Amino acid sequence: MSTPRWLTTTEQRAWRAHLAVHKLLSHRLDRELHEFGLSLNDYEILVNLSESPGKRMRMSDLADATIQSRSRLSHQISRMEAAGLVSREDCADDRRGTFAVLTDEGWATMQRVAPHHVASVRDHFVDLLTDDQLEALERAYTPILEHLKSVR
């Protein structure tokens, strides 16, 4: 094994700031969604379904979009089904495939919760940065995102 390339002081500060922001922001947004009976994972699923044609997605595509295993997504969808937010439908052209479908109750929940969630994202993230900082952040994260997608 080669000698490790230890992080410089600047790299260490940036890395730790990223970790702290990710954890604290995710925790804050999740806690605020709990007031509506949702988790951040639930909300992410509802958003993906609400933005998809027919408000439905194949379970495998939804797992990829939400970056979770098919098994974990299946358990999540079961909980959301019990709450009336989503349903499952068989895929007509692939007997092994299943769709997750946003129900009317799920859509009503999205419409009720989205304004509050967007306000929270603004309060705790977007409005704390200038447009230039947001653009720089996007530029900084894009190559990392592309790399991580390629090694998934």
Side-chain angles (χ1 to χ4, degrees), residues 26-43 113 117:
S26 295
H27 178 73
R28 166 57 62 185
L29 295 175
D30 188 64
R31 197 164 76 202
E32 291 179 6
L33 286 167
H34 279 215
E35 295 173 20
F36 298 95
L38 298 174
S39 69
L40 192 53
N41 286 335
D42 293 335
Y43 187 80
V113 175
H117 180 68

Side-chain angles (χ1 to χ4, degrees), residues 2-28:
S2 64
T3 304
R5 289 181 50 224
W6 298 110
L7 300 179
T8 66
T9 301
T10 300
E11 292 166 339
Q12 186 72 257
R13 282 195 326 262
W15 174 242
R16 288 185 180 183
H18 163 76
L19 290 177
V21 165
H22 172 74
K23 288 179 183 179
L24 289 168
L25 183 59
S26 295
H27 178 73
R28 166 57 62 185

Side-chain angles (χ1 to χ4, degrees), residues 36-38 42-43 46 49 77 79-87 101-110 112:
F36 298 95
L38 298 174
D42 293 335
Y43 187 80
L46 293 177
L49 293 175
I77 292 295
R79 287 190 299 274
M80 293 176 76
E81 269 186 304
L85 301 171
V86 300
S87 63
V101 182
L102 187 64
T103 63
D104 290 342
E105 176 63 27
W107 177 240
T109 298
M110 275 296 300
R112 187 175 71 252

Side-chain angles (χ1 to χ4, degrees), residues 134-152:
L134 288 168
E135 290 169 7
L137 191 59
E138 181 186 11
R139 282 193 309 275
Y141 274 133
T142 296
I144 299 166
L145 178 60
E146 294 307 317
H147 166 74
L148 292 172
K149 283 180 178 178
S150 76
V151 297
R152 227 176 130 210

Side-chain angles (χ1 to χ4, degrees), residues 63-108:
D64 291 342
T66 58
I67 311 172
Q68 56 185 314
S69 71
R70 281 144 179 75
S71 173
R72 180 172 180 211
L73 177 66
S74 182
H75 291 294
Q76 181 92 27
I77 292 295
S78 292
R79 287 190 299 274
M80 293 176 76
E81 269 186 304
L85 301 171
V86 300
S87 63
R88 292 179 210 233
E89 291 180 5
D90 292 332
C91 181
D93 60 340
D94 178 1
R95 289 187 297 152
R96 294 174 299 157
T98 305
F99 285 104
V101 182
L102 187 64
T103 63
D104 290 342
E105 176 63 27
W107 177 240

